[in-house]
Amino acid sequence: MQNLDFMGKTVLIAGADCPAGSEICAAFVAAGARVVLCGRDERALREAAAGNPERVDHLVMDLLRPRPCHAFGAGWGNEPLDVLVLLQSLAAPERPGAVIAAIPAFCRAFAQGLAAARSPRVVSVFAAPSQEALAEHRAYDRAMQELPAALAHDLRGAGGNIRVHALRISNAGGLKSVQGLAELARTVLWLCAPQAPAIGGAVWPVLLPCD
């Protein structure tokens, strides 16, 4: 994972008020990007932005409500958005129905900005259910796996070369690990780099290390 240079790129992380959001933000900043964080927990967003206030902005909002998301996207307009990272599934795991409905709406709100970028990337991240999971959690997992192709279809009309991917974390315990979060951040950066795989609509299985 060499030459991950995001100098001059703009990254928006939705649902950044979770441990993965903070780690992914730090990784993009270290690679030269300007990062915008959004989520409900103002304290978590401030802490993620504290180390690099000149490169990181944050906005407190409920990402599961369509109206503020639409307003945010309308205000963004056609300012180039190089990378959109979707962490709503990790930030609000207790509301799977709202997450699966909100993510496509959020992406459509930023379609103009993505289309205006040179090599835009969209990456959603979610955790696979355990083997003992209830039927509704398994159905949610299937829906999240189908989401990249659906998002790619939704964004096709915006123009541009928008590539959509998903990372399916097979061991949720890795999301509580320092090593696991660092590996997740590196994987997200790799998928979002211009030299990353060009095929969109893919779901990538990821096994994270644990401390």
Side-chain angles (χ1 to χ4, degrees):
M1 297 188 186
Q2 301 298 318
N3 301 320
L4 297 182
D5 183 4
F6 288 86
M7 191 66 66
K9 303 289 187 180
T10 300
V11 177
L12 173 59
I13 303 178
D17 50 341
C18 64
S22 179
E23 191 72 25
I24 293 169
C25 171
F28 272 114
V29 169
R34 168 198 170 222
V35 181
V36 180
L37 309 174
C38 57
R40 295 183 63 182
D41 188 336
E42 183 174 8
R43 180 177 178 180
L45 296 178
R46 286 186 178 276
E47 289 178 354
N52 295 277
E54 71 285 353
R55 300 267 294 283
V56 182
D57 297 313
H58 72 276
L59 177 66
V60 179
M61 61 183 298
D62 186 348
L63 295 168
L64 303 186
R65 294 177 56 206
R67 184 171 295 179
C69 295
H70 179 76
F72 186 18
W76 191 287
N78 60 1
E79 177 185 346
L81 176 58
D82 300 283
V83 176
L84 175 57
V85 181
L86 304 164
L87 302 180
Q88 291 96 320
S89 182
L90 303 183
E94 75 286 357
R95 299 181 65 188
V99 168
I100 201 67
I103 287 178
F106 191 87
C107 286
R108 287 192 294 268
F110 288 88
Q112 279 188 299
L114 289 165
R118 186 171 183 179
S119 298
R121 296 287 190 268
V122 177
V123 177
S124 63
V125 182
F126 65 100
S130 68
Q131 292 188 355
E132 298 78 22
L134 298 174
E136 53 265 34
H137 295 131
R138 295 182 180 278
Y140 174 59
D141 179 57
R142 288 195 295 272
M144 289 298 294
Q145 291 187 65
E146 294 173 0
L147 195 57
L151 291 178
H153 180 271
D154 281 2
L155 295 172
R156 196 169 297 143
N161 189 27
I162 305 171
R163 300 299 184 190
V164 184
H165 299 280
L167 293 176
R168 183 176 184 264
I169 310 304
S170 57
N171 58 328
L175 293 168
K176 301 177 182 178
S177 157
V178 173
Q179 293 183 36
L181 290 173
E183 181 64 22
L184 174 59
R186 286 191 291 267
T187 304
V188 170
L189 262 68
W190 173 73
L191 266 185
C192 295
Q195 66 269 29
I199 298 175
V203 179
W204 300 78
V206 177
L207 179 65
L208 297 177
C210 295
D211 295 337

